[in-house]
Amino acid sequence: MLELARTRIVLGLTGGIACYKAAELLRRLQDHGAQVDVVMTEAATHFITPTTMQALSGRPVYLDTWDARVANSMAHIDLTRGAAAVLIAPASTDFMAKLAHGLADDLLSTLCVARGEVPLLIAPAMNIEMWLHPATQRNAAQLRADGAMLLGPGAGEQACGEVGAGRMLEPDQILRAVIAHFQPKVLAGKRVLLTAGPTSEPIDPVRVITNRSSGKMGYALARAAAEAGAQVELISGPTALDVPDGVICTHVHTAAEMHQAVMAQASQADIFIAVAAVADWAVAHPSPNKLKKHADGRPPELEFIQNPDILAGVARLPNGPWCVGFAAETENLHENAQAKRLRKGVPLLVGNLVQQSMDADQTELVLFDDKGAHPIMRQPKLDAARALIRAIAQRHPITHPTP
Ligand code: CTP
């Protein structure tokens, strides 16, 4: 997925041990299609050489305000013209202080001040005490107030041996934040609640009834909604997936737990997207002990009870969120999906054929609403999720804040 195709990014390195991660970050940005111009402060060159960054980027690396390689010797102006963003990673304590005060005494600080409307993304990297120092916190607040976006810092073990906040985010996290930055903010300010994954209904302490849902589509939608500017709460059945950045996740096992978690949040949500493959039935009386085989070979007799229909329940709430359902069908997609949409009472239902999408990385969707069927072509689940979020944003009734 080349989300950064035709995007030129100025990657600024300042002094810090996290400079070694900037090499990987550069590669990851390029993998996603970005063209990267590297600018380094003098301090950064003590941690990684310009030669390394030049070899990886395949482009000149800029160090000096007086660099004559830029046509009119105006690197501090020309490098940001036409750039999609300036990304400072790692950003040192000193460099953040400079930026907060508008100092311009080297190429990187000068081009930041001279960048005009080009977005500034900053990934701080420093010792925990330096990060927590009131002056650094003041500078961070000032940079945010000036419109810069701070990415992290993360927390964990630090190069100095201390543990805590101040670590630079990992290259993949920074990459995802940069990609998210460029997604249209079609759900800015909206609260989105989602369910995802399978549910798992206990038979006894070691056995469960579950299904083959991987959770990939629900997690991709949670990520796409967060990228679109929404505040996202995910209620997830058991999956092996990482929770997307910025998404608050509640992990559950059974349909009853999922139902309870959703109902606790539903009235505060603007949009509810039910992606989970909720088990239709739960075992009525799970055994407290492991079931033993009968000597005569007779299989166990399990009694089932029907689980609550979470989506239909939310759709019935007075002043509830705008609801989107999913229908994973094995046949007659159109008839089954439209019937399901009406039965559940939801304005939008997303249909797909199980054999084409379950546990796969790609999916082909058809949206069903009161105007009919609208196909979304086969593509990776994250791209399909972004297309679906745009479709939801177009259909979701615009709510005006009450005066
Ligand atoms: N759903 C739900 N709670 C349930 C069952 C389903 O919230 N107990 C939601 C799913 O998350 C999905 C939609 O309802 O958004 C349709 O799920 P599906 O399993 O396809 O439909 P069912 O209602 O279970 O109908 P059937 O199994 O008869 O096709």
Side-chain angles (χ1 to χ4, degrees):
M1 237 176 298
L2 294 181
E3 289 111 326
L4 301 176
R6 292 179 301 282
T7 303
R8 189 167 65 81
I9 292 174
V10 177
L11 174 62
L13 276 64
T14 70
I17 186 62
C19 275
Y20 82 92
K21 294 187 191 173
E24 177 65 14
L25 174 61
L26 167 61
R27 291 296 284 267
R28 307 291 292 126
L29 292 166
Q30 288 176 318
D31 288 347
H32 286 260
Q35 190 181 69
V36 185
D37 279 322
V38 177
V39 179
M40 298 172 71
T41 63
E42 199 271 330
T45 64
H46 291 272
F47 293 91
I48 188 167
T49 69
T51 315
T52 302
M53 299 307 282
Q54 180 154 336
L56 291 175
S57 68
R59 297 171 65 79
V61 169
Y62 298 90
L63 309 169
D64 183 9
T65 314
W66 317 115
D67 197 319
R69 288 171 299 177
V70 178
N72 54 2
S73 293
M74 293 240 184
H76 67 290
I77 307 290
D78 290 359
L79 280 172
T80 57
R81 297 299 177 264
V86 175
L87 168 63
I88 310 292
S92 66
T93 318
D94 177 64
F95 198 75
M96 285 179 61
K98 264 189 191 175
L99 283 179
H101 290 85
L103 296 187
D105 63 355
D106 61 10
L107 175 58
L108 189 57
S109 55
T110 311
L111 72 79
C112 285
V113 178
R115 74 183 193 284
E117 297 294 309
V118 178
L120 177 62
L121 283 65
I122 299 170
M126 62 197 73
N127 162 271
I128 178 172
E129 296 301 341
M130 295 170 88
W131 171 247
L132 293 178
H133 192 282
T136 311
Q137 291 299 306
R138 239 182 359 255
N139 292 335
Q142 184 60 54
L143 288 169
R144 285 195 192 95
D146 290 347
M149 183 193 247
L150 264 68
L151 313 179
E157 211 166 289
Q158 305 200 311
C160 53
E162 295 183 6
V163 177
R167 266 173 73 102
M168 189 171 86
L169 294 183
E170 294 304 319
D172 263 335
Q173 289 175 295
I174 296 177
L175 173 79
R176 287 196 298 269
V178 171
I179 290 172
H181 172 78
F182 291 117
Q183 299 302 316
K185 304 295 170 224
V186 290
L187 291 183
K190 299 287 174 207
R191 282 163 302 182
V192 175
L193 177 65
L194 296 108
T195 62
T199 62
S200 163
E201 309 294 336
I203 297 172
D204 67 17
V206 294
R207 301 182 179 94
V208 295
I209 296 177
T210 186
N211 59 63
R212 291 171 55 193
S213 165
S214 63
K216 283 179 189 164
M217 192 64 212
Y219 277 59
L221 267 169
R223 174 174 169 182
E227 287 177 345
Q231 190 184 315
V232 183
E233 303 254 359
L234 174 64
I235 314 292
S236 173
T239 74
L241 303 172
D242 291 332
V243 176
D245 303 317
V247 169
I248 298 169
C249 183
T250 304
H251 294 279
V252 296
H253 287 93
T254 64
E257 289 166 4
M258 186 174 275
H259 182 238
Q260 200 180 16
V262 167
M263 287 307 177
Q265 314 255 10
S267 53
Q268 292 109 53
D270 298 301
I271 297 169
F272 175 56
I273 314 178
V275 198
V278 185
D280 289 321
W281 304 283
V283 176
H285 306 290
S287 167
N289 298 309
K290 188 180 172 194
L291 293 177
K292 293 291 179 192
K293 285 192 281 291
H294 296 292
D296 58 6
R298 188 164 43 89
E301 280 174 19
L302 296 177
E303 189 192 329
F304 289 94
I305 49 169
Q306 188 156 322
N307 278 324
D309 188 322
I310 303 171
L311 175 58
V314 175
R316 277 195 303 270
L317 287 176
N319 304 319
W322 197 80
C323 290
V324 182
F326 266 70
E329 304 290 339
T330 52
E331 56 185 352
N332 302 332
L333 180 61
H334 284 241
E335 302 86 271
N336 287 341
Q338 274 298 17
K340 200 168 276 185
R341 186 178 80 82
L342 297 174
R343 197 167 68 239
K344 305 244 175 189
V346 297
L348 181 64
L349 193 110
V350 184
N352 59 17
L353 284 171
V354 174
Q355 46 284 38
Q356 287 179 359
S357 59
M358 200 165 246
D359 208 21
D361 290 324
Q362 300 227 340
T363 190
E364 188 176 326
L365 305 173
V366 186
L367 308 190
F368 297 92
D369 61 13
D370 57 1
K371 295 195 179 63
H374 317 273
I376 296 186
M377 65 171 188
R378 187 168 183 79
Q379 56 192 316
K381 283 186 175 170
L382 182 56
D383 288 336
R386 288 180 181 140
L388 181 52
I389 288 295
R390 284 195 295 276
I392 289 171
Q394 279 164 6
R395 289 169 173 80
H396 173 252
I398 297 160
T399 43
H400 299 287
T402 39

